Amino acid sequence: MKLLIRSLLFVATVGLLAMTIAKPTRVVFFGDSITQAGVNPGGYIDRLKKMLPAEQFELMGAGIGGNKIYDLFLRMDDDVLAKQPDVVIVWVGVNDVWHKASFGTGTDPDKFVKFYEAVVKKLQAANAKVMLCTPAAIGEKTDFSNQQDGDLNQYSQLIRDLAKRQNIPLIDLRKAFLDYNLKNNPDNKEKGILTTDRVHLNEAGNQLVAEQMQKALQGVRK
């Protein structure tokens, strides 16, 4: 009888311990080709896995090349919500701006905001904590002579305003990239400092983004 009681107490203790061990926070990075590449060796998501405690964070990528904000809205159920995320970091906007000039298929500012608000609303309805990112760069010149600087600044401000209106954490990559280039791009090069081709990240770019993401995520489990 005593042996049975001890066994039951042991099982109960193990069960209680299992219940008290917190599950890792599941983070989904939701975006375009920059995020798609982020899961590759050396990418910003891959780097983050080494920078954050594995027992505290589970990181997943949900990026598809060429995506704009309405693409994210259309595939959100299958690619994000199905993963039951605790946190979703949305990083989009480059193609909404870039494709205006390159393909004539960008996203108008008013539609951009409406789709973005719809994405945020649906993620929040699924009890996910949302974080927003500004689009980092389409060209790295620091004198605002990159072709899309005006639009990129406008769309970044739209995201900042949305984050402020809805009290959502903001990771301002647009500002971080400009600040970095002002210090490290004295020759005003259009690429090669943080990007390979004015948009997609090189080693330094991936590291900078990983550091910005790490800062944002460190407060999630406090």
Side-chain angles (χ1 to χ4, degrees), residues 143-159:
D143 60 357
F144 295 108
S145 62
N146 304 292
Q147 183 183 357
Q148 280 88 26
D149 272 343
D151 280 346
L152 205 60
N153 289 334
Q154 178 189 7
Y155 282 58
S156 293
Q157 191 58 48
L158 292 173
I159 294 169

Side-chain angles (χ1 to χ4, degrees), residues 6-182:
R6 286 198 196 100
S7 298
L8 289 172
L9 285 171
F10 176 77
V11 171
T13 302
V14 170
L16 286 170
L17 284 172
M19 290 173 65
T20 57
I21 296 172
K23 292 182 179 179
T25 298
R26 180 171 292 177
V27 183
V28 175
F29 297 86
F30 195 21
D32 51 36
S33 58
I34 302 172
T35 294
Q36 187 175 26
V39 300
N40 295 335
Y44 77 89
I45 298 170
D46 177 62
R47 289 168 183 261
L48 263 176
K49 288 181 178 180
K50 301 174 179 70
M51 295 163 67
L52 294 169
E55 69 277 8
Q56 294 184 19
F57 291 95
E58 180 184 12
L59 309 183
M60 299 180 174
I64 293 182
N67 267 198
K68 306 178 187 68
I69 186 62
Y70 56 80
D71 296 302
L72 268 58
F73 178 78
L74 292 173
R75 67 183 180 88
M76 183 168 29
D77 287 331
D78 292 338
D79 292 357
V80 177
L81 297 181
K83 294 180 171 73
Q84 298 182 313
D86 300 302
V87 179
V88 179
I89 298 180
V90 183
W91 185 12
V92 72
V94 161
N95 293 319
D96 298 89
V97 171
W98 197 10
H99 288 186
K100 286 184 179 183
S102 55
F103 303 110
T105 58
T107 309
D108 292 336
D110 59 334
K111 293 184 177 66
F112 182 80
V113 172
K114 286 180 180 178
F115 271 106
Y116 214 133
E117 287 175 337
V119 166
V120 169
K121 185 177 181 179
K122 195 163 185 177
L123 291 172
Q124 289 176 332
N127 296 317
K129 180 179 178 64
V130 182
M131 297 182 179
L132 309 185
C133 302
T134 51
I138 307 176
E140 296 191 65
K141 293 181 180 180
T142 58
D143 60 357
F144 295 108
S145 62
N146 304 292
Q147 183 183 357
Q148 280 88 26
D149 272 343
D151 280 346
L152 205 60
N153 289 334
Q154 178 189 7
Y155 282 58
S156 293
Q157 191 58 48
L158 292 173
I159 294 169
R160 293 182 189 116
D161 293 343
L162 173 59
K164 187 175 181 180
R165 281 197 308 274
Q166 300 202 16
N167 195 28
I168 297 170
L170 176 72
I171 304 168
D172 200 340
L173 297 176
R174 179 68 175 153
K175 183 180 185 300
F177 269 53
L178 179 58
D179 289 347
Y180 186 97
N181 270 290
L182 285 168

